[in-house]
Amino acid sequence: MDAIRPRMIRILSIGTALLAIGSVIVYAAIVEFRQDGSSEYIGLRGGPAQLTARVLRTPVGETTGLWHYHPGYVYNVVTQGRITIEDGCGQVREYSKGQAFETSEGRVHRAYNLGSEDAIEYNMFVGPPGRPIGINIPNNEHRCGPPSTIGECTNDGWVAFNHPAPFANQGDCIAYVNHRKRITLLVPEDPIQ
């Protein structure tokens, strides 16, 4: 009987570990399609870029992943159901079939499906070559940032930001916004209108 006990403990430990791993896998969105491509020049990047087209299904009650950000631009169209985007700074927005939204500027967020049917999104990522399309925050730590506008830094707004790092004061926050790399695009007018 004593020889069986260590084996039973090992089996229970392995089973518990597999259940834990299984629960992590279950709580995630499903990539139904993904195609990566590269270009020597994309205007949004002002140079070389990696483009990724993806179709993402998020089952009812599930999340698309941990707190994360994208190192480039992401354009999204909801084609079924609804998806809720929770910004790391506290803003929550919901998008349903036929609505589009952007997740850019490296802003920390996460998404989940609070609806009654699976949510399907079409995503287009335009990012730097050789970088992943998304980067998880270590240990799924809840982070806020980075700021996108000077207005977010004013009236003590700078205190909330802790990604990519906290700011010492409002001036540091404003300087961060003012010195972020920006690409200016000339948008052509429709010649027929």
Side-chain angles (χ1 to χ4, degrees):
M1 188 68 149
D2 289 332
I4 295 174
R5 185 179 172 124
R7 182 171 181 234
M8 184 63 84
I9 290 172
R10 255 193 334 265
I11 290 170
L12 288 173
S13 297
I14 292 169
T16 302
L18 288 174
L19 283 174
I21 291 169
S23 66
V24 170
I25 293 170
V26 170
Y27 294 104
I30 302 154
V31 175
E32 295 190 338
F33 171 84
R34 177 177 170 157
Q35 182 63 57
D36 297 304
S38 60
S39 175
E40 291 181 16
Y41 185 86
I42 294 290
L44 283 173
R45 299 274 324 140
Q50 174 179 303
L51 281 72
T52 300
R54 179 179 78 177
V55 177
L56 188 68
R57 175 185 296 272
T58 306
V60 173
E62 300 295 339
T63 178
T64 60
L66 306 173
W67 287 107
H68 67 282
Y69 66 92
H70 305 286
Y73 301 89
V74 188
Y75 300 96
N76 312 278
V77 177
V78 179
T79 61
Q80 177 181 303
R82 58 186 178 154
I83 197 78
T84 300
I85 306 295
E86 181 181 9
D87 178 274
C89 298
Q91 186 177 53
V92 177
R93 289 199 172 143
E94 186 175 273
Y95 302 93
S96 56
K97 181 179 178 177
Q99 291 185 304
F101 60 98
E102 178 182 16
T103 48
S104 313
E105 303 235 16
R107 190 74 170 229
V108 175
H109 65 282
R110 64 182 176 182
Y112 37 87
N113 180 353
L114 299 175
S116 58
E117 66 177 319
D118 287 1
I120 299 176
E121 301 170 60
Y122 284 39
N123 313 120
M124 177 57 76
F125 299 84
V126 181
R131 295 288 306 273
I133 59 174
I135 299 172
N136 290 333
I137 301 297
N139 302 315
N140 197 30
E141 183 179 329
H142 185 174
R143 298 246 182 117
C144 172
S148 300
T149 67
I150 290 173
E152 290 183 310
C153 298
T154 60
N155 298 321
D156 290 331
W158 64 272
V159 175
F161 294 104
N162 60 1
H163 181 80
F167 296 105
N169 54 48
Q170 179 176 302
D172 283 350
C173 183
I174 291 172
Y176 176 87
V177 172
N178 284 335
H179 294 100
R180 286 187 79 174
K181 181 180 176 187
R182 288 189 168 63
I183 296 172
T184 303
L185 292 175
L186 298 175
V187 180
E189 291 187 31
D190 184 346
I192 297 177
Q193 285 195 0

